[in-house]
Amino acid sequence: MKKTDELRKKLTYERKNFWKEASVKEQKAALNFSEGYKKFLDACKTERESIEFYVKELEKQGYKEIENAEKSKKVFRVSRNKNAAIALIGKKPISEGVNLIVSHIDAPRVDLKQNPLFEDSGTTLGMMRTHYYGGIKKYQWMSTPLALHGTIIKNNGETVKICIGEDEKDPVFIMPDLLPHLARKIQYTKKIGEAVDAEKMNMVFNSIPYPKDKDAKEAVKLNALVLLNEKYGITEEDFLSAEIEIVPAGKARDAGLDRSLVLGYGQDDRICAYTSACAIFDAKEKLDKTAIVYLADKEEIGSDGNTGAKSIFIIDFIADLLKHNGEANDSSTLRKALINSQVLSADVNAGINPNFPSVHEKENAVHIGFGVSVTKFTGSGGKGGSNDANAEFNSKIIEIYNKENVCWQTGALGKVDEGGGGTIAKFMAEHGAEVIDCGPGVLGMHSLYELTSKADIYSSYKAYKAFFENA
Ligand code: MN
Ligand code: MN
């Protein structure tokens, strides 16, 4: 009997629970690591805020903008205040390939429409019209406290940043849902995805009419404009070009009695942005291969746009990196550099939710607290639209994780034909590099409050660092 147990241990694969396997020291390190992560989540609720955070952090870490970096081995570039690449140059020529980790810093949210403000004639409440961004369940955004984060470029070119609802003294906003008592016909008869009409996701903005002329036409709307003009110097026309994002108000928190989990907005995919940036900052300075962290925007709407991963930005950065390193950077050399490169598409995966286990096939799904997931493919309907990593590269990554004592697991996104989704992996693979998806599991992905395990956050950090130092 004992011999059978030994044999089983030797021959079978079993994913390991971090909290069972890790040393006390490692467990403490994992709990401790999330303190910085929560602060990052609080400071960065939008892609622009994430970039602002890293511009400051990069300076502290001794990184320089590639244009003014001379011979520095630590360089970065920010593009349009919404995406960035960070590089730590290694000993080997860049033309022999880089090790790149790409994550995204945009998250599903609700934007203000370009012409947002109106006074509802029936109620005389001041309201803001919205247009959601990315894959949300619309009903989740109703009747929950919201904050406004945004950038307004005034006619004179001046940039105004706004953030209302995060300070405890700030007011918050809400898109009021319908009371159950009267929801029988217009909500309960509908499919869940249609129960809240996107055009009805209007946010209550204010309710007091302009005090100096309470009976004026649309005096409540006028008062909102007066208050905005007093505080920010803006007019209604300034909204037409602005980018204002509505996100859940409030801070990331520990979750669970044992504080083993983190609850917070936008962890898809700022969890990978944070852990990959920490990995490059903490990596040994004399790496063999050049390490790059790429923080991309627009993943949640298909990686399009000039700040998304499909844009030429990262390729252009690698070309300039070749030049910076004193190497040829003609088109052929650049292509070879890309083909020789290795990429981790660092994005979250769906952890098995104990309330809805039926959408997963347990042995191939991500388990919360069992470490970072190495995900060979995503996609839907027979791996459609998936990168599907090569066995050689997949095996190489696992070997590194085993050697570096990284808690990892394999993880597919749901049952076959259950649904599906994609990541940036396939866009990076278009350039010929080896690419695999690798990131932690999340419960309640794309909800306002995503849940992650401190074990998996820490394991992702360890995985990314091991990749930079060993791949
Ligand atoms: Mn994602
Ligand atoms: Mn997502």
Side-chain angles (χ1 to χ4, degrees):
M1 190 61 194
K2 205 178 165 213
K3 222 175 177 185
T4 318
D5 284 347
E6 270 171 33
L7 199 61
R8 188 177 290 120
K9 203 177 172 196
K10 190 177 156 199
L11 296 180
T12 57
Y13 165 73
E14 229 175 286
R15 45 169 62 69
K16 296 185 176 93
N17 183 314
F18 178 89
W19 304 114
K20 278 190 192 169
E21 299 286 327
S23 66
V24 175
K25 198 179 151 207
E26 279 272 278
Q27 295 196 25
K28 273 192 185 154
L31 294 172
N32 201 28
F33 184 84
S34 286
E35 294 306 307
Y37 171 57
K38 283 181 288 174
K39 285 194 188 115
F40 167 76
L41 287 178
D42 296 342
C44 305
K45 288 204 173 169
T46 68
E47 59 286 4
R48 285 177 188 267
E49 287 168 357
S50 306
I51 291 301
E52 242 176 83
F53 177 94
Y54 276 115
V55 168
K56 280 184 211 145
E57 190 59 30
L58 284 160
E59 251 172 53
K60 279 188 223 157
Q61 299 281 346
Y63 281 78
K64 295 197 169 104
E65 275 187 80
I66 189 165
E67 280 70 23
N68 325 306
E70 286 179 24
K71 283 182 179 159
S72 174
K73 298 284 180 200
K74 294 175 165 185
V75 298
F76 75 95
R77 175 177 286 158
V78 166
S79 165
R80 304 186 200 278
N81 303 317
K82 290 181 181 176
N83 63 354
I86 307 163
L88 178 59
I89 295 171
K91 287 183 266 182
K92 286 188 178 169
I94 289 164
S95 54
E96 288 181 22
V98 300
N99 288 333
L100 187 151
I101 302 181
V102 54
S103 61
H104 65 92
I105 49 173
D106 64 319
R109 60 177 191 255
V110 177
D111 290 337
L112 286 190
K113 279 192 182 184
Q114 293 326 115
N115 186 5
L117 188 61
F118 70 101
E119 181 172 323
D120 177 65
S121 58
T123 60
T124 70
L125 285 170
M127 305 292 290
M128 288 283 198
R129 303 179 187 97
T130 70
H131 191 145
Y132 68 95
Y133 170 100
I136 63 163
K137 285 172 146 179
K138 293 186 276 275
Y139 69 86
Q140 292 180 336
W141 288 76
M142 307 302 283
S143 289
T144 185
L146 302 165
L148 285 183
H149 292 238
T151 298
I152 300 165
I153 315 292
K154 297 204 302 194
N155 279 342
N156 62 7
E158 189 194 327
T159 300
V160 180
K161 282 180 202 159
I162 67 161
C163 178
I164 311 170
E166 298 296 353
D167 191 293
E168 273 176 26
K169 289 176 199 146
D170 281 355
V172 292
F173 304 95
I174 201 145
M175 301 188 287
D177 198 2
L178 181 60
L179 68 170
H181 317 62
L182 300 177
R184 202 180 298 163
K185 285 183 191 161
I186 68 170
Q187 282 188 330
Y188 289 174
T189 54
K190 289 182 178 158
K191 288 186 185 153
I192 197 167
E194 293 157 9
V196 173
D197 179 352
E199 286 290 344
K200 294 205 169 78
M201 292 174 72
N202 298 315
M203 191 182 78
V204 176
F205 194 64
N206 71 318
S207 66
I208 299 177
Y210 180 54
K212 288 177 188 161
D213 188 359
K214 291 175 187 168
D215 297 321
K217 186 178 163 246
E218 297 194 327
V220 174
K221 176 182 171 181
L222 181 66
N223 200 33
L225 287 168
V226 168
L227 294 172
L228 286 165
N229 187 264
E230 278 169 9
K231 184 149 190 208
Y232 302 106
I234 56 173
T235 66
E236 189 171 25
E237 195 184 279
D238 292 320
F239 276 110
L240 271 60
S241 59
E243 291 179 347
I244 301 177
E245 305 180 9
I246 298 167
V247 298
K251 290 180 163 39
R253 322 247 328 230
D254 284 342
L257 186 65
D258 55 9
R259 298 181 175 267
S260 59
L261 306 148
V262 172
L263 186 79
Y265 165 72
Q267 298 198 67
D268 170 11
D269 183 33
R270 294 189 192 114
I271 192 168
C272 295
Y274 181 77
T275 47
S276 61
C278 286
I280 202 170
F281 296 152
D282 294 351
K284 61 179 181 193
E285 292 232 349
K286 290 195 174 146
L287 292 174
D288 280 340
K289 288 190 192 165
T290 292
I292 301 178
V293 164
Y294 174 27
L295 309 171
D297 178 31
K298 298 275 192 286
E299 194 276 344
E300 295 295 356
I301 54 168
S303 293
D304 294 304
N306 68 0
T307 57
K310 282 189 203 165
S311 88
I312 203 165
F313 168 72
I314 190 65
I315 307 305
D316 181 62
F317 178 74
I318 295 172
D320 286 352
L321 213 53
L322 282 162
K323 194 174 164 200
H324 178 81
N325 206 34
E327 299 179 53
N329 78 339
D330 56 278
S331 148
S332 170
T333 310
L334 174 61
R335 287 200 307 272
K336 292 291 176 287
L338 295 167
I339 289 171
N340 292 334
S341 290
Q342 306 177 105
V343 180
L344 293 187
S345 166
D347 206 344
V348 296
N349 202 327
I352 300 181
N353 182 330
N355 287 329
F356 305 97
S358 67
V359 300
H360 298 280
E361 182 265 291
K362 195 173 139 244
E363 298 305 329
N364 279 284
V366 181
H367 298 235
I368 294 298
F370 285 68
V372 69
S373 167
V374 178
T375 302
K376 189 175 185 296
F377 55 84
T378 59
S380 63
K383 304 192 181 183
S386 152
N387 160 63
D388 202 3
N390 296 314
E392 291 84 348
F393 185 53
N394 196 338
S395 164
K396 181 180 180 178
I397 294 301
I398 289 173
E399 204 180 305
I400 290 170
Y401 292 172
N402 283 339
K403 188 180 132 243
E404 294 297 314
N405 195 26
V406 174
C407 185
W408 67 274
Q409 58 183 318
T410 185
L413 180 67
K415 273 183 182 166
V416 184
D417 282 348
E418 188 72 36
T423 64
I424 287 172
K426 62 176 177 177
F427 308 122
M428 295 291 119
E430 278 178 20
H431 306 295
E434 287 281 28
V435 187
I436 193 162
D437 281 294
C438 178
V442 173
L443 296 193
M445 196 194 294
H446 285 205
S447 73
L448 288 81
Y449 305 101
E450 296 175 322
L451 188 66
T452 58
S453 161
K454 292 183 181 178
D456 304 336
I457 300 164
Y458 180 66
S459 298
S460 301
Y461 159 73
K462 273 189 74 176
Y464 299 153
K465 188 163 172 280
F467 170 73
F468 282 146
E469 292 178 343
N470 298 277

